């Protein structure tokens, strides 16, 4: 295993030893935030993310992160939804809303199509030339 390296914390930019994604201070803060959110949700399972954020002073982005890593289980809270990663529409599953997913799928398909039509030939020819 590689030794932990120094890096800048993505949240507060502080230099820290990278044993986790964020520095100790931010990690502790995040844990406190999680507790606040969890306590509020236990009392008001019918809350929305906006009220939850206002009442706990935890940002919607942070709450969304807790949902994404599975610390908040969406199924338990009927009114909880969070913004789509791409357009900000409120959603209940996945990272993006269904219309953004469609757009991404279409774009990916288009790129793959273009890849197979001419890019591959060029790349293939390029590589074989060097292999000879
Ligand atoms: Zn930090
Ligand atoms: Zn979207």
């Amino acid at each position: 295993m590689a030794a932990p390296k120094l890096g800048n914390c993505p949240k507060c930019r502080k230099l820290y030893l990278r044993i986790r994604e964020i520095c100790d201070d931010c990690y502790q803060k995040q844990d406190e935030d999680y507790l606040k959110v969890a306590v509020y949700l236990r009392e008001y399972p019918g809350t929305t993310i906006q009220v939850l954020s206002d009442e706990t002073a935890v940002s919607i982005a942070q709450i969304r992160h807790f949902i994404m890593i599975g610390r908040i289980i969406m199924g338990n809270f009927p009114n909880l939804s969070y913004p789509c990663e791409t357009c900000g529409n409120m959603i209940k599953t996945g990272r993006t809303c269904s219309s953004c997913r469609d757009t991404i799928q279409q774009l990916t398909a288009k790129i793959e199509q273009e890849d197979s039509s001419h890019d591959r030939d060029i790349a293939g020819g390029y590589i074989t030339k060097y292999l000879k």
Side-chain angles (χ1 to χ4, degrees), residues 98-132:
S98 56
S99 80
C100 286
R101 243 191 330 263
D102 284 353
T103 314
I104 293 166
Q105 253 166 24
Q106 275 167 21
L107 285 176
T108 316
K110 208 175 154 204
I111 292 167
E112 276 169 7
Q113 245 172 37
E114 281 173 10
D115 260 9
S116 56
S117 61
H118 60 99
D119 281 359
R120 193 167 297 158
D121 289 349
I122 298 166
Y126 187 75
I127 289 165
T128 29
K129 215 166 20 187
Y130 276 85
L131 286 176
K132 269 175 194 164

Side-chain angles (χ1 to χ4, degrees), residues 9-14 16 22-27:
C9 169
K11 273 181 178 285
C12 66
R13 313 306 303 164
K14 200 177 72 179
Y16 79 117
I22 50 177
C23 74
D24 271 357
D25 288 349
C26 289
Y27 189 79

